[in-house]
Amino acid sequence: MKNLSVEDPAEAIHLGSLVAAHGYIFPISDHVLTLKDDGTLYRFQSPYFWPSNCWEPENTDYAIYLCKRTMQNKARLELADYEAENLARLQRAFARKWEFIFMQAEAQVKIDRKKDKADRKIQDSQERAFWDVHRPVPGCVNTTEMDIRKCRRERNPHRVKKSVYGVTDDGQSQPSPVLVSSQPARKATREDVQKEITFLNTQLDRHCMKVSKVADSLMSYTEQFMEYDPFVSAPEPSNPWVGDDASFWDLEASRDPGQQRVKKWGFSLEEALKDAAGRDQFLKFLESEFSSENLRFWLAVQDLKRRPLRDVSARAREIWQEFLAEGAPSSINLDSHSFERTSQNLRDPGRYSYEDAQEHIFKLMKSDSYARFLRSNIYQDLLLARKKQPADTEQGRRTSLEKFTRSVGKSLTGKRLTGLMQSS
């Protein structure tokens, strides 16, 4: 304390409590890692157990330590309630190798009994102080999750994960940890703190999903598109990925869609707009509702993104005059935010000047027009017609086969009658 020039006793106690919380000093009489100004005796921790060594104790080490304490009939080494619960939990977790853990604890007890009583008592207090840091009492702050180890972990990616008793899961020992020096960190400025606050606020507002929901969504997507994967379901008439027949691509590009293509339009608006025939049918539906300008604007912006750079500026202004200018022939409805952003972008027109407006129109079509399109007669009739087409073809084949069978049967019957008459 003299070297740090700390004159305030409260500040000195606070600083000493921080040192004790990290396990560098610990009280002899109890196991609360704080500094008290009441004459309590403290002991310095052995450098071997310092947290600055940056190594993480294994649960097997903790199990050996607790098991070893149960073998020593001393009141000061009795397990607390939370330690007994932890021991039972570890015994269930390591049921298959509990015999190995018990043998290690027995070996440690035999070694400790050969030591002097005073040395053994000091070592017991050092071990308990170490585990009070790394497996603290419920309700206490776990200092190992804070600055000292995290900072060193960032500066020393090759951190050592070492066993307390030199025993790992496979029974082999590991080398001692190596302390790597690092440069002192730059003092954070006000701008750095402000950036950190902004980042943390963003993280708090971030939408998080459970892994189970993400897995269910992925499984649903996989099941939905399984029949459209040529490596899982064989396409008709042949698989172009494994052969030279390109008939499948011709059918996919035709304006007369099959039943699979029509069914795929119902998955999402994106799938409907990817298909040329789907775009035509959706545009036909919007024309019947007198709202085709939304899709025509969306398609115009898509075309703008693929235009040569020399034509972008002129085409961007044409789109403005057709859809967004005052008195435009095909005016669309935009919210004020999207309209202002688009107006600012057109001061220097580019391929993505209408990005905000296009996104707003797409959401409008997806939430309103697309749902009505799936319920409309245009889509339902087309879907039912494509479903009936294979059945009609099969019925036609069956009828032709029956006619052929009847004709063959009649001819065979006539020949048999002629043969019988001749024989008689």
Side-chain angles (χ1 to χ4, degrees), residues 26-79:
F26 58 91
I28 297 177
S29 57
D30 57 25
H31 304 284
V32 180
L33 299 179
T34 57
L35 187 63
K36 304 174 184 177
D37 189 13
D38 57 359
T40 303
L41 298 178
Y42 289 83
R43 181 176 287 128
F44 283 97
Q45 179 63 283
S46 172
Y48 178 80
F49 292 116
W50 283 358
S52 58
N53 285 330
C54 194
W55 49 273
E56 301 175 2
E58 300 280 355
N59 282 331
T60 52
D61 297 325
Y62 190 45
I64 292 172
Y65 166 71
L66 294 177
C67 190
K68 183 172 65 172
R69 281 183 47 193
T70 60
M71 298 176 183
Q72 298 175 356
N73 299 322
K74 295 179 181 179
R76 61 184 176 83
L77 295 176
E78 289 182 359
L79 296 182

Short mmCIF file of all heavy atoms in Angstrom, two decimals, residues 26-79:
data_model
loop_
_atom_site.label_atom_id
_atom_site.label_comp_id
_atom_site.label_asym_id
_atom_site.label_seq_id
_atom_site.Cartn_x
_atom_site.Cartn_y
_atom_site.Cartn_z
N PHE A 26 -5.74 -14.71 0.69
CA PHE A 26 -6.99 -15.31 1.17
C PHE A 26 -6.95 -15.40 2.69
O PHE A 26 -5.87 -15.53 3.29
CB PHE A 26 -7.20 -16.70 0.56
CG PHE A 26 -6.10 -17.66 0.84
CD1 PHE A 26 -6.15 -18.50 1.96
CD2 PHE A 26 -4.99 -17.76 0.00
CE1 PHE A 26 -5.13 -19.39 2.23
CE2 PHE A 26 -3.97 -18.65 0.26
CZ PHE A 26 -4.03 -19.47 1.38
N PRO A 27 -8.12 -15.33 3.32
CA PRO A 27 -8.16 -15.41 4.80
C PRO A 27 -7.96 -16.85 5.26
O PRO A 27 -8.31 -17.80 4.58
CB PRO A 27 -9.56 -14.90 5.14
CG PRO A 27 -10.37 -15.18 3.92
CD PRO A 27 -9.44 -15.04 2.75
N ILE A 28 -7.42 -16.98 6.44
CA ILE A 28 -7.16 -18.31 7.00
C ILE A 28 -8.40 -18.87 7.69
O ILE A 28 -8.69 -20.06 7.62
CB ILE A 28 -5.98 -18.24 7.98
CG1 ILE A 28 -4.71 -17.82 7.23
CG2 ILE A 28 -5.75 -19.58 8.67
CD1 ILE A 28 -3.50 -17.65 8.12
N SER A 29 -9.15 -17.99 8.35
CA SER A 29 -10.25 -18.45 9.20
C SER A 29 -11.51 -18.82 8.41
O SER A 29 -12.20 -19.78 8.75
CB SER A 29 -10.59 -17.38 10.24
OG SER A 29 -10.93 -16.16 9.57
N ASP A 30 -11.83 -18.07 7.33
CA ASP A 30 -13.04 -18.38 6.57
C ASP A 30 -12.70 -18.45 5.08
O ASP A 30 -11.52 -18.41 4.69
CB ASP A 30 -14.15 -17.34 6.83
CG ASP A 30 -13.70 -15.93 6.51
OD1 ASP A 30 -12.78 -15.77 5.67
OD2 ASP A 30 -14.23 -14.98 7.09
N HIS A 31 -13.74 -18.53 4.25
CA HIS A 31 -13.51 -18.71 2.81
C HIS A 31 -14.21 -17.62 2.00
O HIS A 31 -14.56 -17.84 0.84
CB HIS A 31 -14.01 -20.09 2.39
CG HIS A 31 -13.38 -21.20 3.17
ND1 HIS A 31 -12.10 -21.62 2.94
CD2 HIS A 31 -13.85 -21.95 4.20
CE1 HIS A 31 -11.80 -22.60 3.79
NE2 HIS A 31 -12.85 -22.81 4.57
N VAL A 32 -14.40 -16.47 2.61
CA VAL A 32 -14.95 -15.31 1.90
C VAL A 32 -13.77 -14.47 1.42
O VAL A 32 -13.02 -13.92 2.24
CB VAL A 32 -15.88 -14.48 2.81
CG1 VAL A 32 -16.44 -13.29 2.04
CG2 VAL A 32 -17.00 -15.36 3.34
N LEU A 33 -13.60 -14.37 0.13
CA LEU A 33 -12.41 -13.72 -0.44
C LEU A 33 -12.58 -12.21 -0.46
O LEU A 33 -12.72 -11.58 -1.51
CB LEU A 33 -12.14 -14.26 -1.85
CG LEU A 33 -11.86 -15.77 -1.93
CD1 LEU A 33 -11.65 -16.19 -3.38
CD2 LEU A 33 -10.66 -16.13 -1.08
N THR A 34 -12.58 -11.61 0.71
CA THR A 34 -12.60 -10.16 0.85
C THR A 34 -11.60 -9.76 1.93
O THR A 34 -11.23 -10.57 2.79
CB THR A 34 -14.01 -9.65 1.24
OG1 THR A 34 -14.42 -10.29 2.45
CG2 THR A 34 -15.01 -9.90 0.13
N LEU A 35 -11.20 -8.50 1.90
CA LEU A 35 -10.25 -7.99 2.89
C LEU A 35 -11.02 -7.27 4.00
O LEU A 35 -11.88 -6.42 3.71
CB LEU A 35 -9.27 -7.03 2.22
CG LEU A 35 -8.12 -6.54 3.09
CD1 LEU A 35 -7.23 -7.70 3.51
CD2 LEU A 35 -7.32 -5.47 2.36
N LYS A 36 -10.74 -7.65 5.24
CA LYS A 36 -11.44 -7.06 6.39
C LYS A 36 -10.42 -6.38 7.30
O LYS A 36 -9.32 -6.87 7.51
CB LYS A 36 -12.19 -8.14 7.17
CG LYS A 36 -13.17 -8.94 6.33
CD LYS A 36 -13.76 -10.08 7.13
CE LYS A 36 -14.66 -10.94 6.26
NZ LYS A 36 -15.19 -12.12 7.02
N ASP A 37 -10.85 -5.27 7.87
CA ASP A 37 -9.99 -4.51 8.78
C ASP A 37 -10.37 -4.85 10.21
O ASP A 37 -10.78 -4.00 11.00
CB ASP A 37 -10.15 -3.01 8.51
CG ASP A 37 -9.12 -2.18 9.28
OD1 ASP A 37 -8.15 -2.79 9.81
OD2 ASP A 37 -9.30 -0.96 9.36
N ASP A 38 -10.27 -6.14 10.56
CA ASP A 38 -10.65 -6.58 11.91
C ASP A 38 -9.62 -7.53 12.52
O ASP A 38 -9.94 -8.30 13.42
CB ASP A 38 -12.02 -7.25 11.89
CG ASP A 38 -12.06 -8.43 10.93
OD1 ASP A 38 -11.02 -8.71 10.28
OD2 ASP A 38 -13.12 -9.07 10.82
N GLY A 39 -8.42 -7.49 12.02
CA GLY A 39 -7.38 -8.36 12.57
C GLY A 39 -7.37 -9.76 12.01
O GLY A 39 -6.64 -10.62 12.54
N THR A 40 -8.14 -10.03 10.98
CA THR A 40 -8.15 -11.36 10.37
C THR A 40 -6.79 -11.64 9.71
O THR A 40 -6.19 -10.75 9.07
CB THR A 40 -9.26 -11.45 9.30
OG1 THR A 40 -10.51 -11.15 9.92
CG2 THR A 40 -9.32 -12.85 8.69
N LEU A 41 -6.32 -12.85 9.88
CA LEU A 41 -5.04 -13.24 9.30
C LEU A 41 -5.23 -13.69 7.85
O LEU A 41 -6.19 -14.41 7.53
CB LEU A 41 -4.41 -14.35 10.13
CG LEU A 41 -4.07 -14.00 11.58
CD1 LEU A 41 -3.50 -15.22 12.29
CD2 LEU A 41 -3.11 -12.82 11.65
N TYR A 42 -4.31 -13.28 6.99
CA TYR A 42 -4.37 -13.61 5.57
C TYR A 42 -3.07 -14.30 5.16
O TYR A 42 -2.03 -14.14 5.80
CB TYR A 42 -4.59 -12.36 4.71
CG TYR A 42 -5.99 -11.78 4.85
CD1 TYR A 42 -6.29 -10.94 5.92
CD2 TYR A 42 -6.99 -12.09 3.94
CE1 TYR A 42 -7.56 -10.41 6.08
CE2 TYR A 42 -8.26 -11.56 4.08
CZ TYR A 42 -8.54 -10.72 5.15
OH TYR A 42 -9.80 -10.22 5.28
N ARG A 43 -3.17 -15.06 4.09
CA ARG A 43 -2.01 -15.78 3.58
C ARG A 43 -1.90 -15.52 2.08
O ARG A 43 -2.90 -15.44 1.36
CB ARG A 43 -2.16 -17.28 3.85
CG ARG A 43 -0.98 -18.11 3.36
CD ARG A 43 -1.15 -19.56 3.74
NE ARG A 43 -0.95 -19.76 5.18
CZ ARG A 43 -1.81 -20.39 5.96
NH1 ARG A 43 -2.92 -20.89 5.46
NH2 ARG A 43 -1.56 -20.53 7.25
N PHE A 44 -0.67 -15.38 1.58
CA PHE A 44 -0.45 -15.20 0.15
C PHE A 44 -0.61 -16.54 -0.57
O PHE A 44 -0.14 -17.57 -0.09
CB PHE A 44 0.95 -14.62 -0.11
CG PHE A 44 1.05 -13.16 0.18
CD1 PHE A 44 1.56 -12.71 1.39
CD2 PHE A 44 0.64 -12.23 -0.76
CE1 PHE A 44 1.65 -11.36 1.68
CE2 PHE A 44 0.73 -10.87 -0.48
CZ PHE A 44 1.23 -10.43 0.73
N GLN A 45 -1.24 -16.47 -1.71
CA GLN A 45 -1.45 -17.67 -2.51
C GLN A 45 -0.15 -18.10 -3.19
O GLN A 45 0.69 -17.25 -3.53
CB GLN A 45 -2.54 -17.43 -3.58
CG GLN A 45 -2.85 -18.60 -4.49
CD GLN A 45 -3.41 -19.79 -3.74
OE1 GLN A 45 -2.65 -20.51 -3.08
NE2 GLN A 45 -4.71 -20.00 -3.85
N SER A 46 0.00 -19.40 -3.35
CA SER A 46 1.18 -19.91 -4.05
C SER A 46 1.15 -19.48 -5.52
O SER A 46 0.08 -19.48 -6.15
CB SER A 46 1.18 -21.44 -3.97
OG SER A 46 2.20 -21.98 -4.79
N PRO A 47 2.29 -19.08 -6.09
CA PRO A 47 2.30 -18.64 -7.50
C PRO A 47 1.76 -19.69 -8.46
O PRO A 47 1.27 -19.35 -9.55
CB PRO A 47 3.79 -18.35 -7.76
CG PRO A 47 4.36 -18.04 -6.42
CD PRO A 47 3.61 -18.91 -5.45
N TYR A 48 1.83 -20.95 -8.09
CA TYR A 48 1.31 -22.01 -8.95
C TYR A 48 -0.19 -21.84 -9.20
O TYR A 48 -0.69 -22.18 -10.26
CB TYR A 48 1.58 -23.37 -8.30
CG TYR A 48 1.04 -24.55 -9.09
CD1 TYR A 48 1.74 -25.04 -10.19
CD2 TYR A 48 -0.15 -25.16 -8.73
CE1 TYR A 48 1.25 -26.11 -10.92
CE2 TYR A 48 -0.65 -26.23 -9.44
CZ TYR A 48 0.05 -26.71 -10.54
OH TYR A 48 -0.43 -27.77 -11.26
N PHE A 49 -0.92 -21.28 -8.21
CA PHE A 49 -2.37 -21.14 -8.31
C PHE A 49 -2.79 -19.75 -8.76
O PHE A 49 -3.98 -19.44 -8.72
CB PHE A 49 -3.04 -21.46 -6.96
CG PHE A 49 -2.92 -22.90 -6.55
CD1 PHE A 49 -2.22 -23.26 -5.41
CD2 PHE A 49 -3.53 -23.90 -7.30
CE1 PHE A 49 -2.13 -24.58 -5.02
CE2 PHE A 49 -3.44 -25.22 -6.92
CZ PHE A 49 -2.73 -25.57 -5.79
N TRP A 50 -1.88 -18.90 -9.14
CA TRP A 50 -2.27 -17.55 -9.55
C TRP A 50 -3.11 -17.59 -10.83
O TRP A 50 -2.78 -18.31 -11.78
CB TRP A 50 -1.02 -16.71 -9.81
CG TRP A 50 -0.34 -16.23 -8.56
CD1 TRP A 50 -0.74 -16.45 -7.28
CD2 TRP A 50 0.87 -15.47 -8.48
NE1 TRP A 50 0.12 -15.88 -6.39
CE2 TRP A 50 1.13 -15.26 -7.10
CE3 TRP A 50 1.74 -14.96 -9.42
CZ2 TRP A 50 2.23 -14.54 -6.66
CZ3 TRP A 50 2.84 -14.24 -8.98
CH2 TRP A 50 3.09 -14.03 -7.61
N PRO A 51 -4.19 -16.80 -10.90
CA PRO A 51 -5.01 -16.77 -12.12
C PRO A 51 -4.30 -16.14 -13.31
O PRO A 51 -4.71 -16.33 -14.45
CB PRO A 51 -6.23 -15.95 -11.70
CG PRO A 51 -5.79 -15.15 -10.52
CD PRO A 51 -4.77 -15.98 -9.82
N SER A 52 -3.22 -15.38 -13.05
CA SER A 52 -2.48 -14.77 -14.17
C SER A 52 -1.78 -15.81 -15.02
O SER A 52 -1.32 -15.50 -16.12
CB SER A 52 -1.45 -13.77 -13.64
OG SER A 52 -0.55 -14.40 -12.75
N ASN A 53 -1.68 -17.06 -14.54
CA ASN A 53 -1.12 -18.13 -15.37
C ASN A 53 -2.02 -18.49 -16.54
O ASN A 53 -1.60 -19.18 -17.46
CB ASN A 53 -0.85 -19.38 -14.53
CG ASN A 53 0.37 -19.21 -13.64
OD1 ASN A 53 1.30 -18.49 -13.99
ND2 ASN A 53 0.36 -19.86 -12.48
N CYS A 54 -3.29 -18.06 -16.45
CA CYS A 54 -4.21 -18.17 -17.57
C CYS A 54 -4.42 -19.62 -18.00
O CYS A 54 -4.27 -19.96 -19.17
CB CYS A 54 -3.74 -17.33 -18.76
SG CYS A 54 -4.99 -17.09 -20.04
N TRP A 55 -4.73 -20.47 -17.08
CA TRP A 55 -5.11 -21.84 -17.42
C TRP A 55 -6.39 -22.19 -16.70
O TRP A 55 -6.66 -21.69 -15.61
CB TRP A 55 -3.99 -22.84 -17.13
CG TRP A 55 -3.36 -22.77 -15.78
CD1 TRP A 55 -2.32 -21.99 -15.41
CD2 TRP A 55 -3.73 -23.52 -14.62
NE1 TRP A 55 -2.00 -22.20 -14.10
CE2 TRP A 55 -2.86 -23.15 -13.58
CE3 TRP A 55 -4.69 -24.49 -14.36
CZ2 TRP A 55 -2.91 -23.68 -12.31
CZ3 TRP A 55 -4.76 -25.03 -13.09
CH2 TRP A 55 -3.88 -24.63 -12.08
N GLU A 56 -7.16 -23.02 -17.32
CA GLU A 56 -8.50 -23.30 -16.84
C GLU A 56 -8.56 -24.70 -16.20
O GLU A 56 -8.19 -25.68 -16.84
CB GLU A 56 -9.50 -23.25 -17.99
CG GLU A 56 -9.53 -21.91 -18.69
CD GLU A 56 -10.43 -21.92 -19.92
OE1 GLU A 56 -11.04 -22.98 -20.18
OE2 GLU A 56 -10.51 -20.89 -20.58
N PRO A 57 -8.99 -24.78 -14.96
CA PRO A 57 -9.11 -26.10 -14.32
C PRO A 57 -10.26 -26.91 -14.90
O PRO A 57 -11.30 -26.36 -15.27
CB PRO A 57 -9.37 -25.75 -12.84
CG PRO A 57 -10.01 -24.40 -12.89
CD PRO A 57 -9.40 -23.69 -14.06
N GLU A 58 -10.05 -28.20 -14.97
CA GLU A 58 -11.07 -29.11 -15.51
C GLU A 58 -12.07 -29.48 -14.42
O GLU A 58 -11.80 -29.40 -13.22
CB GLU A 58 -10.39 -30.38 -16.03
CG GLU A 58 -9.39 -30.15 -17.13
CD GLU A 58 -10.04 -29.97 -18.48
OE1 GLU A 58 -11.28 -30.12 -18.55
OE2 GLU A 58 -9.32 -29.70 -19.45
N ASN A 59 -13.25 -29.92 -14.86
CA ASN A 59 -14.25 -30.42 -13.91
C ASN A 59 -13.76 -31.70 -13.23
O ASN A 59 -14.15 -31.99 -12.09
CB ASN A 59 -15.57 -30.68 -14.63
CG ASN A 59 -16.32 -29.39 -14.88
OD1 ASN A 59 -16.20 -28.43 -14.13
ND2 ASN A 59 -17.11 -29.36 -15.94
N THR A 60 -12.93 -32.46 -13.93
CA THR A 60 -12.37 -33.67 -13.29
C THR A 60 -11.48 -33.30 -12.13
O THR A 60 -11.43 -34.00 -11.11
CB THR A 60 -11.58 -34.49 -14.32
OG1 THR A 60 -10.63 -33.64 -14.98
CG2 THR A 60 -12.50 -35.10 -15.36
N ASP A 61 -10.73 -32.19 -12.23
CA ASP A 61 -9.91 -31.72 -11.12
C ASP A 61 -10.78 -31.35 -9.93
O ASP A 61 -10.45 -31.64 -8.77
CB ASP A 61 -9.07 -30.52 -11.56
CG ASP A 61 -8.09 -30.86 -12.66
OD1 ASP A 61 -7.58 -31.99 -12.65
OD2 ASP A 61 -7.85 -30.01 -13.53
N TYR A 62 -11.89 -30.66 -10.22
CA TYR A 62 -12.80 -30.26 -9.15
C TYR A 62 -13.41 -31.49 -8.47
O TYR A 62 -13.56 -31.53 -7.25
CB TYR A 62 -13.89 -29.36 -9.71
CG TYR A 62 -14.76 -28.70 -8.67
CD1 TYR A 62 -14.21 -28.11 -7.55
CD2 TYR A 62 -16.14 -28.66 -8.83
CE1 TYR A 62 -15.00 -27.50 -6.59
CE2 TYR A 62 -16.95 -28.04 -7.88
CZ TYR A 62 -16.37 -27.46 -6.76
OH TYR A 62 -17.17 -26.86 -5.81
N ALA A 63 -13.72 -32.51 -9.28
CA ALA A 63 -14.28 -33.74 -8.71
C ALA A 63 -13.24 -34.44 -7.83
O ALA A 63 -13.58 -34.95 -6.75
CB ALA A 63 -14.74 -34.67 -9.84
N ILE A 64 -11.99 -34.47 -8.26
CA ILE A 64 -10.93 -35.08 -7.44
C ILE A 64 -10.76 -34.33 -6.13
O ILE A 64 -10.61 -34.92 -5.06
CB ILE A 64 -9.60 -35.11 -8.23
CG1 ILE A 64 -9.70 -36.08 -9.41
CG2 ILE A 64 -8.43 -35.49 -7.33
CD1 ILE A 64 -8.51 -36.03 -10.34
N TYR A 65 -10.81 -32.99 -6.19
CA TYR A 65 -10.66 -32.17 -4.99
C TYR A 65 -11.79 -32.43 -3.99
O TYR A 65 -11.55 -32.64 -2.79
CB TYR A 65 -10.61 -30.70 -5.39
CG TYR A 65 -10.79 -29.74 -4.24
CD1 TYR A 65 -9.79 -29.57 -3.28
CD2 TYR A 65 -11.97 -29.01 -4.10
CE1 TYR A 65 -9.96 -28.70 -2.23
CE2 TYR A 65 -12.15 -28.13 -3.05
CZ TYR A 65 -11.15 -27.98 -2.11
OH TYR A 65 -11.32 -27.12 -1.06
N LEU A 66 -13.03 -32.43 -4.47
CA LEU A 66 -14.16 -32.67 -3.57
C LEU A 66 -14.14 -34.08 -3.01
O LEU A 66 -14.43 -34.31 -1.81
CB LEU A 66 -15.48 -32.41 -4.30
CG LEU A 66 -15.74 -30.97 -4.75
CD1 LEU A 66 -17.05 -30.89 -5.53
CD2 LEU A 66 -15.78 -30.02 -3.56
N CYS A 67 -13.81 -35.05 -3.86
CA CYS A 67 -13.74 -36.44 -3.41
C CYS A 67 -12.64 -36.61 -2.37
O CYS A 67 -12.79 -37.35 -1.39
CB CYS A 67 -13.50 -37.34 -4.61
SG CYS A 67 -13.69 -39.09 -4.27
N LYS A 68 -11.54 -35.91 -2.55
CA LYS A 68 -10.42 -35.99 -1.59
C LYS A 68 -10.83 -35.42 -0.23
O LYS A 68 -10.45 -35.95 0.82
CB LYS A 68 -9.22 -35.24 -2.16
CG LYS A 68 -7.98 -35.33 -1.29
CD LYS A 68 -6.78 -34.72 -2.00
CE LYS A 68 -6.96 -33.23 -2.22
NZ LYS A 68 -5.72 -32.60 -2.73
N ARG A 69 -11.63 -34.36 -0.23
CA ARG A 69 -12.05 -33.78 1.04
C ARG A 69 -13.01 -34.69 1.79
O ARG A 69 -13.07 -34.65 3.03
CB ARG A 69 -12.71 -32.42 0.78
CG ARG A 69 -11.67 -31.33 0.55
CD ARG A 69 -12.26 -29.98 0.36
NE ARG A 69 -13.27 -29.63 1.34
CZ ARG A 69 -14.08 -28.58 1.18
NH1 ARG A 69 -13.98 -27.82 0.08
NH2 ARG A 69 -14.98 -28.30 2.09
N THR A 70 -13.78 -35.50 1.09
CA THR A 70 -14.68 -36.43 1.78
C THR A 70 -13.92 -37.56 2.47
O THR A 70 -14.46 -38.24 3.35
CB THR A 70 -15.69 -37.04 0.78
OG1 THR A 70 -14.98 -37.73 -0.25
CG2 THR A 70 -16.55 -35.95 0.17
N MET A 71 -12.68 -37.81 2.02
CA MET A 71 -11.88 -38.89 2.61
C MET A 71 -11.14 -38.46 3.87
O MET A 71 -10.56 -39.31 4.56
CB MET A 71 -10.86 -39.39 1.59
CG MET A 71 -11.47 -39.98 0.34
SD MET A 71 -10.20 -40.45 -0.86
CE MET A 71 -11.22 -41.01 -2.22
N GLN A 72 -11.14 -37.16 4.17
CA GLN A 72 -10.40 -36.65 5.32
C GLN A 72 -11.39 -36.29 6.42
O GLN A 72 -12.25 -35.43 6.24
CB GLN A 72 -9.57 -35.43 4.92
CG GLN A 72 -8.52 -35.75 3.86
CD GLN A 72 -7.78 -34.53 3.39
OE1 GLN A 72 -8.10 -33.43 3.80
NE2 GLN A 72 -6.78 -34.73 2.56
N ASN A 73 -11.31 -36.95 7.53
CA ASN A 73 -12.23 -36.77 8.64
C ASN A 73 -11.82 -35.57 9.50
O ASN A 73 -11.30 -35.72 10.60
CB ASN A 73 -12.30 -38.05 9.51
CG ASN A 73 -12.80 -39.23 8.71
OD1 ASN A 73 -13.69 -39.08 7.87
ND2 ASN A 73 -12.25 -40.41 8.97
N LYS A 74 -12.02 -34.39 8.94
CA LYS A 74 -11.69 -33.17 9.67
C LYS A 74 -12.83 -32.18 9.48
O LYS A 74 -13.37 -32.04 8.38
CB LYS A 74 -10.38 -32.57 9.14
CG LYS A 74 -9.17 -33.48 9.39
CD LYS A 74 -7.91 -32.86 8.83
CE LYS A 74 -6.72 -33.78 9.06
NZ LYS A 74 -5.46 -33.23 8.51
N ALA A 75 -13.16 -31.52 10.58
CA ALA A 75 -14.31 -30.60 10.55
C ALA A 75 -14.07 -29.45 9.57
O ALA A 75 -15.00 -29.01 8.89
CB ALA A 75 -14.58 -30.07 11.96
N ARG A 76 -12.81 -28.98 9.49
CA ARG A 76 -12.54 -27.83 8.62
C ARG A 76 -12.60 -28.20 7.14
O ARG A 76 -12.64 -27.31 6.29
CB ARG A 76 -11.17 -27.24 8.95
CG ARG A 76 -10.02 -28.20 8.75
CD ARG A 76 -8.70 -27.57 9.19
NE ARG A 76 -7.60 -28.51 9.09
CZ ARG A 76 -6.94 -28.76 7.95
NH1 ARG A 76 -7.28 -28.13 6.85
NH2 ARG A 76 -5.93 -29.61 7.95
N LEU A 77 -12.60 -29.49 6.82
CA LEU A 77 -12.63 -29.93 5.42
C LEU A 77 -13.98 -30.51 5.02
O LEU A 77 -14.12 -31.07 3.94
CB LEU A 77 -11.54 -30.97 5.18
CG LEU A 77 -10.10 -30.48 5.31
CD1 LEU A 77 -9.12 -31.63 5.13
CD2 LEU A 77 -9.81 -29.36 4.32
N GLU A 78 -15.00 -30.37 5.88
CA GLU A 78 -16.32 -30.86 5.51
C GLU A 78 -16.88 -30.05 4.34
O GLU A 78 -16.65 -28.84 4.24
CB GLU A 78 -17.26 -30.75 6.71
CG GLU A 78 -16.96 -31.77 7.81
CD GLU A 78 -17.95 -31.66 8.95
OE1 GLU A 78 -18.84 -30.78 8.88
OE2 GLU A 78 -17.83 -32.44 9.92
N LEU A 79 -17.63 -30.73 3.50
CA LEU A 79 -18.19 -30.07 2.32
C LEU A 79 -19.37 -29.20 2.72
O LEU A 79 -20.21 -29.59 3.53
CB LEU A 79 -18.66 -31.11 1.30
CG LEU A 79 -17.59 -32.01 0.67
CD1 LEU A 79 -18.23 -32.94 -0.35
CD2 LEU A 79 -16.50 -31.18 -0.01
#
